[in-house]
Amino acid sequence: MGVFARFLPPAIIALLVIGTGISACSLQLQPVPTPPLLVGPQAVILRQNPVTTAPSANFLSQAQIRQQAQERLEALLAQQRFLGRKIMLAGDSDARYQRLNGLFERVRSVSHLAKADIVPVLIDAPSFEAYTFGGSEVVFHTSLSERLGDDALAFVIAHELAHIAAGHASEASSLTVINIEPPIGAVRRSDLYSYGHEEEADKIALVYLLLAGFASEPALSLWQEMAKSAKNSVYDLFVATHPATRDRAEALRENARLFTTESARFDPGNLLNCNPLYCNPARKD
């Protein structure tokens, strides 16, 4: 899982971060049996992303992924408690958590996870981070949540929910178990999500953001501001596995334009599943 823990100056705030320094849990996971006549890499390639229908190397059960995610989360929280940091969970009355939870629920309610039991976890920490292990929690650090406006923070939330909805953690773990390269982009050993996962999550997140009634311009502005910096105009921001800020800003701008100008050609009652950015007409949420 990629780590973005740099304490950035306020004028140049990075928007999306996925990952922590926690190493993968040592789980003995057994792959789900493949259908007859479909074995090996071909069986993996023919699986589809549940949101976009793109090819997906994903064969672990949801129960296995939730178990893995829970173990990683517990290890993380134990580490943060050892450091003396406040951890805010569901029901916490802290105003910072209440604000985050309000935005979180607004985005989740229009996403593919509207019926899922997924909640935010807020850690009072100085690192600019947000990430998910693919289970039932999304973790945020206060340095990120407090420094972003509502629209920009909503995009971060949407991005993390998109990772869960698209099964990216499950796919990443599947690739680790079978020891093959991800078909949608290289990934470092310390990363959970690949370059392709990040691009796909950005696209799905934009749909969530706009359906929830938030503006996309704040996200675009932040990436554009980052792209102006010579230091961050190349792939060093998220290392090799994450899209460069300039690429990300351009992709978000184009996808926002496509969604707003072309959505009239699609069923307004099913834009979550079939829209100008991706279309899975068989899925109804």
Side-chain angles (χ1 to χ4, degrees):
M1 176 181 295
V3 179
F4 177 35
R6 305 178 185 181
F7 193 81
L8 301 175
I12 306 177
I13 302 177
L15 179 57
L16 301 176
V17 289
I18 310 296
T20 67
I22 295 179
S23 60
C25 294
S26 177
L27 295 180
Q28 299 300 317
L29 303 180
Q30 298 298 321
V32 175
T34 55
L37 303 181
L38 290 179
V39 296
Q42 187 63 25
V44 174
I45 292 172
L46 291 180
R47 297 178 185 275
Q48 292 184 332
N49 181 297
V51 174
T52 66
T53 72
S56 174
N58 184 346
F59 61 80
L60 299 182
S61 70
Q62 187 60 39
Q64 289 171 320
I65 289 303
R66 281 183 174 270
Q67 177 189 2
Q68 185 180 57
Q70 185 62 33
E71 292 191 10
R72 289 179 172 180
L73 179 67
E74 289 175 359
L76 168 71
L77 297 185
Q79 177 196 56
Q80 295 300 307
R81 290 190 180 101
F82 177 79
L83 294 174
R85 292 171 177 166
K86 180 179 180 179
I87 297 172
M88 291 163 264
L89 305 173
D92 197 297
S93 61
D94 190 298
R96 296 171 296 178
Y97 184 86
Q98 289 299 310
R99 177 207 173 212
L100 173 65
N101 188 58
L103 295 172
F104 190 92
E105 285 304 300
R106 180 172 164 185
V107 175
R108 189 184 65 84
S109 68
V110 301
S111 76
H112 294 96
L113 303 169
K115 298 178 181 179
D117 184 18
I118 299 176
V119 297
V121 173
L122 183 60
I123 300 174
D124 193 354
S127 47
F128 194 85
E129 293 190 76
Y131 42 88
T132 179
F133 300 121
S136 37
E137 289 89 9
V138 179
V139 180
F140 300 85
H141 289 196
T142 53
S143 182
L144 179 144
S145 64
E146 293 178 4
R147 292 166 63 185
L148 294 181
D150 286 357
D151 295 283
L153 181 54
F155 188 78
V156 175
I157 293 169
H159 181 93
E160 303 305 329
L161 290 176
H163 275 307
I164 299 175
H168 289 162
S170 180
E171 180 171 19
S173 294
S174 298
L175 294 171
T176 300
V177 170
I178 60 179
N179 195 29
I180 65 173
E181 292 295 324
I184 57 175
V187 59
R188 296 178 307 154
R189 181 171 299 182
S190 60
D191 289 332
L192 177 58
Y193 304 123
S194 72
Y195 182 102
H197 289 146
E198 294 302 322
E199 288 187 317
E200 187 169 63
D202 273 357
K203 185 179 295 185
I204 299 170
L206 185 59
V207 174
Y208 293 170
L209 185 79
L210 296 176
L211 288 179
F214 289 100
S216 61
E217 188 56 38
L220 290 171
S221 297
L222 286 170
W223 285 116
Q224 290 166 349
E225 183 66 26
M226 287 296 297
K228 293 176 183 178
S229 168
K231 178 180 179 181
N232 294 310
S233 62
V234 292
Y235 288 82
D236 69 319
L237 177 61
F238 290 107
V239 197
T241 63
H242 292 67
T245 50
R246 180 176 289 109
D247 294 344
R248 217 156 186 174
E250 292 175 355
L252 282 172
R253 184 188 304 106
E254 177 59 19
N255 286 334
R257 185 195 67 78
L258 281 174
F259 189 88
T260 55
T261 61
E262 302 295 328
S263 288
R265 299 189 296 106
F266 296 79
D267 178 3
N270 196 36
L271 285 175
L272 180 63
N273 297 308
C274 191
N275 57 68
L277 305 187
Y278 59 83
C279 189
N280 184 0
R283 178 166 181 164
K284 302 292 182 180
D285 286 283

